[in-house]
């Protein structure tokens, strides 16, 4: 498929949903603004995921307008005009002249014309589809366009009277990845897996967390990935028990674990991998015990990650194994809790496992899409958990985190373990696209031995 066809197909699909909803309307989706970091220096630009999903266009300063009527739809792109002077400083702009051919849109205009053209495009339209309450800027612009249309009332022009949230529609589409997307995600995960291997191979006692972060970045960028998908977590020793720790300057010490949660972004798609390994290359007895429990929990979750099961089933499967493991290792006391079921029901495990096992993965690392079924017959009842379907992508990431405490066996103190892989739901189960990085304790030890 031609690259522009991918995006056009998505715009047609969105138009179809809009048509089914209100017979037609105008959808307006802007990309992300540029963000200043500090004086004359900007954060690396990252497009808006929804905008990119429908356009394939990465430049800032752009807005997509899709006008949908009974039988057809047309797409207008507003983008930065060509400007030889600015292009010397900031780089080449596509410009509205070249945009239709390059992006497959019906027409393109300078973004300077956005306000004028929008008041024309919204005239005599009933329904507007925007991302409601998304940002003050979007709301401000919408008010402006509406004001312009309303001012034409005496010329017989009707302003739109319905506002719909286009976000949920796009997010429902994004939840199901097409072949093109899954192919990119496979490559992103493969790069991230190699980065984890590199970090494991280079790690030795005395190094600092930021040095392993540098190794991850090297592999990401050297493999053509544009960015990290999120800030890398490289956590040595006690830091491994801090869920959103950033790579800092802590020294990695022999006898401690190192937890790395890091993934690259490739062509707009995230990968998300966590591995935990011993700094000196050999798990201690207590580390190994908790590691094997976490891995068994992940395997149990993977086994039920298949179409027809709910989003919650992998979490429930992981919880069962983790909680049983905590009882076996006497971190939870069977004498106090009575049974495994009770330990799960009372959430006694939460002290050692306080996050969920999965999230959607896609353009955003915590990707969009509802975690509840959308069509519920009984409107009053709580919507059931989402049923897994082919094309969905989730992470599977159980963990155990043991902080020092009086009533906790000291041999387990400061052991934080998480094992995370990325799973594409297919027709029969799931494909783990991140297993290029070793996950079994023995395999990790073998890899770290060959340095
Ligand atoms: Mn994750």
């Amino acid at each position: 498929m031609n690259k522009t066809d991918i995006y056009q197909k998505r715009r047609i699909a969105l138009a179809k949903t809009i048509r089914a909803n209100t017979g037609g309307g105008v959808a307006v989706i802007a990309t992300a603004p540029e963000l200043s970091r500090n004086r004359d220096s900007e954060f690396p630009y990252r497009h808006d995921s929804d905008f990119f999903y429908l356009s394939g266009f990465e430049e800032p300063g752009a807005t997509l307008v899709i006008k949908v009527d009974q039988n057809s739809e047309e797409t207008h792109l507003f983008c930065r005009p060509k400007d030889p002077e600015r292009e010397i400083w900031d780089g080449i702009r596509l410009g509205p002249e070249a945009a239709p051919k390059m992006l497959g849109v019906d027409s393109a205009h300078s973004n300077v014309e956005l306000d004028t053209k929008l008041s024309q495009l919204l005239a005599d339209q009933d329904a507007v589809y925007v991302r409601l309450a998304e940002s003050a800027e979007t709301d401000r612009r919408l008010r402006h366009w509406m004001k312009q249309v309303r001012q034409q009332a005496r010329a017989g022009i009707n302003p739109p009277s319905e506002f719909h949230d286009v976000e949920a529609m796009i997010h429902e589409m994004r939840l199901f990845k097409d072949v093109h997307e899954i192919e990119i995600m496979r490559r992103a995960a493969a790069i991230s897996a190699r980065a984890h291997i590199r970090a494991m191979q280079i790690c030795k006692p005395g190094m600092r967390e930021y040095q392993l972060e540098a190794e991850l970045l090297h592999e990401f960028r050297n493999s053509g990935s544009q960015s990290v998908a999120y800030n890398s977590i490289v956590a040595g020793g006690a830091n491994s028990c801090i869920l959103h720790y950033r790579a800092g300057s802590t020294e990695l010490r022999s006898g401690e674990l190192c937890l790395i949660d890091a993934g690259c972004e490739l062509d707009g798609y995230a990968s998300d991998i966590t591995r935990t390994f011993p700094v000196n290359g050999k798990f201690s007895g207590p580390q190994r015990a908790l590691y094997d429990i976490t891995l068994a929990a992940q395997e149990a979750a993977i086994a039920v990650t298949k179409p027809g099961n709910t989003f919650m089933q992998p979490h429930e499967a992981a919880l069962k194994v983790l909680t049983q493991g905590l009882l076996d290792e006497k971190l939870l006391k069977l004498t106090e809790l009575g049974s495994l079921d009770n330990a799960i029901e009372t959430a006694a495990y939460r002290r050692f496992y306080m996050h969920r096992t999965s999230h959607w993965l896609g353009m955003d690392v915590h990707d969009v899409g509802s975690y509840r079924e959308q069509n519920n017959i009984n409107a009053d009842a709580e919507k059931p958990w989402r049923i897994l379907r082919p094309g969905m992508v989730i992470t599977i990431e159980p963990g155990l985190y043991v902080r020092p405490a009086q009533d906790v066996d000291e041999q387990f103190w400061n052991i934080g373990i998480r094992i995370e892989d990325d799973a594409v739901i297919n027709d029969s189960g799931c494909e783990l696209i991140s297993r290029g990085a070793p996950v079994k304790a023995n395999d990790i030890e073998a890899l770290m031995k060959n340095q």
Side-chain angles (χ1 to χ4, degrees):
M1 199 181 338
N2 184 325
K3 207 173 166 203
T4 61
D5 292 348
I6 294 163
Y7 304 102
Q8 191 170 16
K9 214 175 127 198
R10 292 175 188 163
R11 293 193 295 268
I12 291 169
L14 177 64
K16 206 175 149 195
T17 311
I18 289 173
R19 209 172 283 127
N21 204 34
T22 52
V26 178
V28 186
I29 301 127
T31 195
E34 291 176 280
L35 281 178
S36 164
R37 183 175 183 275
N38 58 338
R39 205 174 165 81
D40 283 351
S41 177
E42 267 148 14
F43 280 108
Y45 182 69
R46 168 57 157 75
H47 55 258
D48 174 85
S49 297
D50 290 339
F51 173 86
F52 182 76
Y53 182 77
L54 295 168
S55 66
F57 190 46
E58 291 176 311
E59 282 185 29
T63 302
L64 198 64
V65 179
I66 307 173
K67 193 167 179 236
V68 182
D69 64 28
Q70 286 291 338
N71 309 305
S72 63
E73 60 281 318
E74 52 182 44
T75 303
H76 306 265
L77 178 81
F78 294 84
C79 61
R80 298 182 306 178
K82 293 296 280 179
D83 182 338
E85 177 66 22
R86 281 308 328 160
E87 288 179 42
I88 290 170
W89 294 88
D90 303 330
I92 304 297
R93 299 173 173 189
L94 179 62
E97 293 78 15
K101 189 161 187 291
M102 283 296 291
L103 303 171
V105 295
D106 297 303
S107 75
H109 321 270
S110 160
N111 56 11
V112 177
E113 296 173 55
L114 181 65
D115 287 344
T116 326
K117 281 267 195 299
L118 245 293
S119 39
Q120 292 165 13
L121 285 164
L122 293 180
D124 288 326
Q125 292 290 321
D126 288 335
V128 184
Y129 286 80
V130 286
R131 292 186 291 187
L132 293 170
E134 180 218 8
S135 72
E137 173 63 9
T138 308
D139 291 354
R140 189 191 64 75
R141 293 204 96 127
L142 185 60
R143 275 206 307 277
H144 178 76
W145 302 328
M146 287 300 293
K147 198 172 153 197
Q148 300 276 312
V149 187
R150 283 174 186 139
Q151 278 170 355
Q152 302 172 67
R154 269 164 296 173
I157 287 167
N158 283 318
S161 57
E162 292 175 34
F163 293 88
H164 297 266
D165 194 16
V166 75
E167 191 171 88
M169 293 174 169
I170 301 170
H171 291 183
E172 182 65 16
M173 291 168 65
R174 280 177 54 192
L175 181 54
F176 297 88
K177 278 73 180 172
D178 59 33
V179 181
H180 162 80
E181 296 181 286
I182 290 168
E183 188 44 47
I184 299 172
M185 292 187 75
R186 279 197 191 105
R187 285 192 285 126
I191 292 169
S192 297
R194 285 206 301 276
H196 279 263
I197 289 174
R198 187 181 172 93
M200 285 179 199
Q201 282 180 322
I202 282 170
C203 181
K204 53 176 183 286
M207 285 182 78
R208 296 195 182 260
E209 292 166 343
Y210 57 73
Q211 291 180 296
L212 289 191
E213 183 189 24
E215 298 298 332
L216 298 165
L217 276 173
H218 172 93
E219 194 64 42
F220 291 167
R221 288 295 280 150
N222 196 45
S223 302
S225 122
Q226 291 83 357
S227 170
V228 290
Y230 53 96
N231 293 328
S232 302
I233 295 171
V234 180
N239 296 337
S240 62
C241 295
I242 303 169
L243 298 180
H244 288 165
Y245 182 79
R246 284 273 286 109
S249 57
T250 301
E251 187 182 323
L252 301 166
R253 286 184 291 261
S254 184
E256 294 184 338
L257 291 174
C258 178
L259 182 155
I260 296 184
D261 183 344
C264 71
E265 180 177 295
L266 180 73
D267 298 344
Y269 288 82
S271 54
D272 186 2
I273 304 181
T274 308
R275 289 292 185 266
T276 310
F277 55 90
V279 169
N280 63 15
K282 181 101 184 103
F283 286 96
S284 72
Q287 289 168 351
R288 175 71 190 245
L290 297 195
Y291 189 90
D292 287 346
I293 292 166
T294 311
L295 184 57
Q298 198 207 26
E299 291 298 347
I302 291 164
V304 295
T305 301
K306 54 183 182 190
N309 281 355
T310 69
F311 172 79
M312 274 303 273
Q313 273 170 274
H315 180 58
E316 284 159 1
L319 268 188
K320 209 165 175 179
V321 176
L322 289 173
T323 308
Q324 182 61 57
L326 289 167
L327 289 167
D328 293 345
E329 293 300 328
K330 314 257 183 327
L331 283 159
L332 292 177
K333 314 275 186 301
L334 195 61
T335 45
E336 287 167 23
L337 292 160
S339 68
L340 171 64
D341 286 348
N342 189 53
I344 293 172
E345 252 165 60
T346 56
Y349 58 83
R350 273 195 66 89
R351 184 175 179 191
F352 304 107
Y353 182 50
M354 57 298 282
H355 59 79
R356 286 195 190 272
T357 305
S358 300
H359 55 78
W360 305 131
L361 182 71
M363 289 182 153
D364 299 313
V365 63
H366 290 176
D367 206 34
V368 298
S370 175
Y371 287 97
R372 297 280 184 174
E373 281 297 310
Q374 292 308 286
N375 304 317
N376 200 12
I377 305 148
N378 183 354
D380 293 332
E382 192 179 49
K383 288 191 163 95
W385 288 104
R386 194 88 199 207
I387 309 236
L388 299 175
R389 302 275 179 225
M392 290 175 169
V393 183
I394 68 170
T395 63
I396 307 175
E397 49 177 313
L400 284 175
Y401 313 91
V402 187
R403 261 163 278 260
Q406 285 259 299
D407 59 340
V408 170
D409 188 347
E410 200 175 335
Q411 63 173 337
F412 295 115
W413 286 11
N414 296 320
I415 294 180
I417 294 163
R418 181 164 61 255
I419 305 169
E420 175 176 32
D421 281 289
D422 304 342
V424 180
I425 317 295
N426 56 27
D427 291 333
S428 57
C430 67
E431 173 192 347
L432 296 176
I433 57 176
S434 51
R435 278 289 176 92
V439 70
K440 289 190 180 125
N442 287 346
D443 293 346
I444 290 173
E445 288 182 349
L447 178 80
M448 295 183 74
K449 213 177 203 171
N450 299 327
Q451 299 170 17

